[in-house]
């Protein structure tokens, strides 16, 4: 399931770039934002999911991802 995410640019910094306090804060904010988005996704009914092009299985797969697995962080 590939889709654009408004938080993709907040993916965890790669170890080679060095971790700054600002990067850590952005990453933590992105984690909490992603958790909220995933929770909202699970609250959608079948019709709303179809409207955004997702199946219930895809929504559940997104919900089951670990909290540190952010969109765009692969």
């Amino acid at each position: 399931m590939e889709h654009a995410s408004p938080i993709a640019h907040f993916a965890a910094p790669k170890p080679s770039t060095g971790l700054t306090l600002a990067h850590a804060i952005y990453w933590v904010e992105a984690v909490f934002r992603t958790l909220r988005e995933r929770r909202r996704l699970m609250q959608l009914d079948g019709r709303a999911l179809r409207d955004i092009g997702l199946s219930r299985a895809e929504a559940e797969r997104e919900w089951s991802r670990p909290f540190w697995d952010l969109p765009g962080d692969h």
Side-chain angles (χ1 to χ4, degrees):
M1 174 179 76
E2 290 293 322
H3 54 70
S5 172
I7 63 169
H9 63 281
F10 289 121
K14 305 299 181 231
S16 62
T17 63
L19 180 65
T20 66
L21 181 58
H23 282 113
I25 291 169
Y26 289 140
W27 186 80
V28 169
E29 288 174 344
V31 165
F32 282 104
R33 192 171 18 261
T34 300
L35 288 173
R36 281 192 305 272
E37 289 176 1
R38 288 175 179 164
R39 191 176 310 117
R40 288 180 190 140
L41 185 65
M42 290 305 296
Q43 294 171 345
L44 297 177
D45 63 13
R47 192 176 82 172
L49 287 170
R50 282 190 302 277
D51 284 348
I52 62 172
L54 294 176
S55 68
R56 174 59 58 190
E58 289 170 318
E60 289 174 0
R61 199 168 28 255
E62 182 66 25
W63 171 252
S64 68
R65 290 170 63 175
F67 73 88
W68 62 85
D69 187 6
L70 300 175
D73 190 22
H74 328 191

